[in-house]
């Protein structure tokens, strides 16, 4: 028989039987002890609870386990495991402010916190707005926040539809205000005459004629390589002041840096935020600063601007499409304390929403959005950007209708076209949206290539195209907005660039517009 050696200096070997005979059989006979390492303190009460199922060593048979039974508290009620019966209500789990890691309890086995995130980047949810912690911009959902209220919201979630972008596009066509896509040119949907001149000028820029100044050719020759052709430069007869030549050199350096940044973003597979900061913002600033900024046209990053009212969204099978975001807006930005700024501010104050746009973001609420820009990485899903622009432009037209109602101008003024820019990696494309009010129909004509950021010549083309679009905003959209919505003459607001007084500038002449700050 194997025995424990419990000898001290003056003791003899003892057998297990002798050692067991000196200890009591009943648990109550033991003195209360305290276990270290945060274990529970044993008392007579706790021993009494488990006395009905406690076995002595002699009662246990080889290869047998004592029968399991739920523990009971002194009142006789069964007691569940602490982990399955937390003190925090189930509905509170996953909500903001709820601590994912459970509170430490002496009776609870320590467990690591589990965080689960599922990515639905290419899914479009057509569902009324909810408070489940959705990051719309990145398509990220917290599973804890979605599942925490599953029992309480089963009826609401039964109507939720996670649709692919392709299916969402089809649903848009069957909405109360249908959104159709048309190619350019189209035999089914004629291109809007109001946008024909704009289209002609932008397509002329695709030939890359006269984009660069002759004064920078000696700097550009080595960099351009095979793209260095005579037709790329303006005629030497164009006279430039020293200040203009300096500006042209600054533009050249900016474009070279943008090309390098775009290549870096592609090679390193950067996120949209990096593309926006390193490439797109710099192009828009280069195109609009100086001349167009002084004429009330500017841009703004609006990635955080949300559509403020679900009634502005497309109604799809009785459900509102979830609010989608775009990245930039080219807008009418009046000079500070100008008559136009005062008129727009008064219009904002007259609106219940305190905004004249489809978004109530404070930094753009009193600046009419003219052109919306949606960005996707090179490997991004174009169908997602289609649905986002469809949703955004529908809300835009619905907001314009609301603005026109007080002046009863809805039947007097036709809805304007709304240019949309879709950026996929390096490539910039223009879409033209038109609203056919009588048919409750929006048609998006696509696409006109504005250029590409993978080449210097392509970046110059984009800059020239944005300048031409800025001219459209200043001479057409801004004037329509003042006449139709503000109900006043543009000249009374010191906006004097009416088309009857000024001829359109040639598209190829826009590159040489002053860019002084």
């Amino acid at each position: 028989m194997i025995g424990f050696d419990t000898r001290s200096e003056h003791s003899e070997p003892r057998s297990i039987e002798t050692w067991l005979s000196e200890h009591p059989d009943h648990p109550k006979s033991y003195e209360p002890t305290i276990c270290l390492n945060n274990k529970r303190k044993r008392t007579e009460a706790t021993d009494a609870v488990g006395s009905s199922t406690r076995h002595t060593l002699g009662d246990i048979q080889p290869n047998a386990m004592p029968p399991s039974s739920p523990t009971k508290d002194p009142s006789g009620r069964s007691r569940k495991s602490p982990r399955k019966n937390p003190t925090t209500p189930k509905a509170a789990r996953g909500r903001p402010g709820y601590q994912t890691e459970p509170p430490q309890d002496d009776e609870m086995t320590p467990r690591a916190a589990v965080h689960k995130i599922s990515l639905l980047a290419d899914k479009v949810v057509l569902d009324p707005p909810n408070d489940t912690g959705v990051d719309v911009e990145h398509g990220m959902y917290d599973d804890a926040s979605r599942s925490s209220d599953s029992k309480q919201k089963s009826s609401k979630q039964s109507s939720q539809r996670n649709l692919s972008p392709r299916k969402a596009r089809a649903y848009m066509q069957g909405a109360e205000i249908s959104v159709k896509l048309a190619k350019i040119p189209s035999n089914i949907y004629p291109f809007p005459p109001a946008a024909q001149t704009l289209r002609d000028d932008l397509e002329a820029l695709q030939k890359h004629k006269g984009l660069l100044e002759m004064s920078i050719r000696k700097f550009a020759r080595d960099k351009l390589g095979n793209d260095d052709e005579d037709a790329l430069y303006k005629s030497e007869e164009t006279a430039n002041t020293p200040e203009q030549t300096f500006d042209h050199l600054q533009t050249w350096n900016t474009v070279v840096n943008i090309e390098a940044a775009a290549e870096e973003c592609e090679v390193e597979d950067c996120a949209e935020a990096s593309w926006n900061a390193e490439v797109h913002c710099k192009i828009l600033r280069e195109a609009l600063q100086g001349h167009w900024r002084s004429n009330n046209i500017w841009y703004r990053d609006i990635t955080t601007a949300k559509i403020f009212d679900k009634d502005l969204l497309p109604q799809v099978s009785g459900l509102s499409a979830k609010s989608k975001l775009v990245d930039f807006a080219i807008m009418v930005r009046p000079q500070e304390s100008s008559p136009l700024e005062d008129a727009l501010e008064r219009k904002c104050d007259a609106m219940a929403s305190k905004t004249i746009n489809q978004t109530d973001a404070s930094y753009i609420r009193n600046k009419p959005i003219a052109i919306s820009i949606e960005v996707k990485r090179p490997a991004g899903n174009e169908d997602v950007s289609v649905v986002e622009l469809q949703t955004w432009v529908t809300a835009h037209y619905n907001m314009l209708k609301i603005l026109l109602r007080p002046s009863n101008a809805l039947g007097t003024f036709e809805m304007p076209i709304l240019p949309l820019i879709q950026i996929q990696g390096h490539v910039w494309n223009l879409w033209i949206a038109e609203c056919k009010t009588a048919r409750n129909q929006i048609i998006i004509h696509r696409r006109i290539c504005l250029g590409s950021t993978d080449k210097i010549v392509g970046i110059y083309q984009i800059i020239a195209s944005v300048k031409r679009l800025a001219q459209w905003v200043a001479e057409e959209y801004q004037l329509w907005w003042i006449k139709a919505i503000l109900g006043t003459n543009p000249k009374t607001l010191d906006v004097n660039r009416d088309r009857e007084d000024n001829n359109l500038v040639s598209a190829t002449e826009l590159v040489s517009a002053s860019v002084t700050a």
Side-chain angles (χ1 to χ4, degrees), residues 376-421:
K376 283 289 175 285
R377 296 166 58 250
N381 190 339
E382 184 180 0
D383 285 338
V384 175
S385 63
V386 171
V387 174
E388 289 175 346
L389 285 173
Q390 283 179 314
T391 304
W392 187 261
V393 77
T394 301
H396 195 164
Y397 273 124
N398 284 335
M399 189 64 191
L400 290 179
K401 291 179 182 178
I402 294 174
L403 292 167
L404 287 170
R405 285 172 189 165
S407 60
N408 296 320
L410 192 56
T412 305
F413 292 90
E414 292 185 0
M415 282 290 182
I417 62 167
L418 291 177
L420 308 168
I421 296 178

Side-chain angles (χ1 to χ4, degrees), residues 77-144:
R77 292 177 297 182
S78 62
R79 185 176 60 187
K80 295 183 179 179
S81 168
R83 190 167 63 87
K84 295 182 180 179
N85 188 24
T87 57
T88 305
K90 183 177 181 181
R93 302 176 207 170
R95 295 284 178 84
Y98 173 67
Q99 196 174 12
T100 307
E101 183 178 357
Q104 294 297 326
D105 193 315
D106 291 341
E107 298 184 358
M108 183 182 295
T109 303
R111 296 178 182 273
V114 179
H115 301 276
K116 296 191 296 181
I117 293 180
S118 61
L119 300 180
L120 304 176
D122 289 337
K123 290 292 184 182
V124 177
V125 182
L126 297 181
D127 189 51
N130 55 61
D131 55 352
T132 55
V134 182
D135 184 347
V136 181
E137 180 180 355
H138 299 93
M140 299 173 65
Y141 289 66
D142 187 344
D143 280 352

Side-chain angles (χ1 to χ4, degrees), residues 42-329:
R42 299 187 59 82
T43 61
E44 289 189 7
T46 56
D47 287 335
V49 172
S51 61
S52 61
T53 58
R54 186 177 294 278
H55 297 261
T56 62
L57 185 63
D59 295 332
I60 301 177
Q61 300 299 324
N63 301 325
M65 293 297 292
S68 60
S69 61
T71 58
K72 296 184 178 181
D73 59 19
S75 63
R77 292 177 297 182
S78 62
R79 185 176 60 187
K80 295 183 179 179
S81 168
R83 190 167 63 87
K84 295 182 180 179
N85 188 24
T87 57
T88 305
K90 183 177 181 181
R93 302 176 207 170
R95 295 284 178 84
Y98 173 67
Q99 196 174 12
T100 307
E101 183 178 357
Q104 294 297 326
D105 193 315
D106 291 341
E107 298 184 358
M108 183 182 295
T109 303
R111 296 178 182 273
V114 179
H115 301 276
K116 296 191 296 181
I117 293 180
S118 61
L119 300 180
L120 304 176
D122 289 337
K123 290 292 184 182
V124 177
V125 182
L126 297 181
D127 189 51
N130 55 61
D131 55 352
T132 55
V134 182
D135 184 347
V136 181
E137 180 180 355
H138 299 93
M140 299 173 65
Y141 289 66
D142 187 344
D143 280 352
S145 64
R146 283 200 305 167
S147 60
S148 61
D149 298 331
S150 57
K151 292 184 179 180
Q152 300 177 8
K153 300 182 179 180
S154 58
S155 60
K156 181 176 181 178
Q157 289 185 350
S158 64
S159 63
Q160 183 175 3
R161 303 181 181 186
N162 293 332
L163 299 179
S164 68
R166 188 171 296 275
K167 290 183 179 180
R169 286 170 51 181
Y171 274 50
M172 290 282 189
Q173 298 186 25
E176 182 180 352
I177 299 178
S178 62
V179 184
K180 308 287 186 182
L181 299 177
K183 67 177 184 178
I184 299 176
S186 172
N187 295 325
I188 301 175
Y189 301 106
F191 193 78
Q196 189 60 52
T197 303
L198 177 63
R199 172 188 169 186
D200 292 342
D201 287 345
L202 293 173
E203 289 180 345
L205 289 171
Q206 296 175 2
K207 300 177 182 179
H208 296 166
K209 291 184 178 181
L211 287 178
L212 278 67
E213 294 292 334
M214 185 63 70
S215 59
I216 67 169
R217 187 166 190 176
K218 60 181 179 181
F219 303 99
R221 185 178 289 111
D222 294 337
K223 192 73 176 177
L224 293 177
N226 295 333
D227 291 333
D228 183 45
E229 300 177 354
D230 292 341
L232 184 62
Y233 299 91
K234 288 183 172 61
S235 171
E236 290 189 42
E237 297 177 358
T238 304
N240 294 319
T241 64
E243 291 79 9
Q244 288 175 325
T245 300
F246 178 76
D247 290 338
H248 299 151
L249 290 175
Q250 280 192 320
T251 299
W252 167 258
N253 291 331
T254 299
V255 170
V256 170
N257 291 333
I258 290 173
E259 184 203 26
E263 181 181 8
E264 181 180 313
C265 286
E266 180 185 25
V267 171
E268 298 186 3
D269 195 25
C270 292
E272 281 182 22
S274 297
W275 281 88
N276 288 345
E278 300 292 334
V279 180
H280 307 138
C281 271
K282 293 181 179 179
I283 289 178
L284 293 170
R285 181 169 289 270
E286 181 62 36
L288 299 177
Q289 67 182 349
H291 177 72
W292 293 115
R293 186 174 188 178
S294 64
N295 286 280
N296 301 334
I297 312 303
W298 195 233
Y299 79 98
R300 185 63 64 216
D301 183 328
I302 60 169
T303 51
T304 59
K306 300 180 180 180
I307 299 173
F308 74 92
D309 190 346
K310 65 180 181 180
D311 291 336
L312 298 175
L313 299 167
Q315 300 298 313
V316 179
S317 300
L319 300 177
S320 294
K322 182 167 288 297
S323 176
K324 307 304 292 181
L325 309 176
V326 296
D327 293 87
F328 296 94

Side-chain angles (χ1 to χ4, degrees), residues 275 279-280 375-380 423-428 452-453:
W275 281 88
V279 180
H280 307 138
V375 176
K376 283 289 175 285
R377 296 166 58 250
I423 304 174
Q424 185 84 32
H426 289 289
V427 181
W428 290 47
S452 177
T453 57

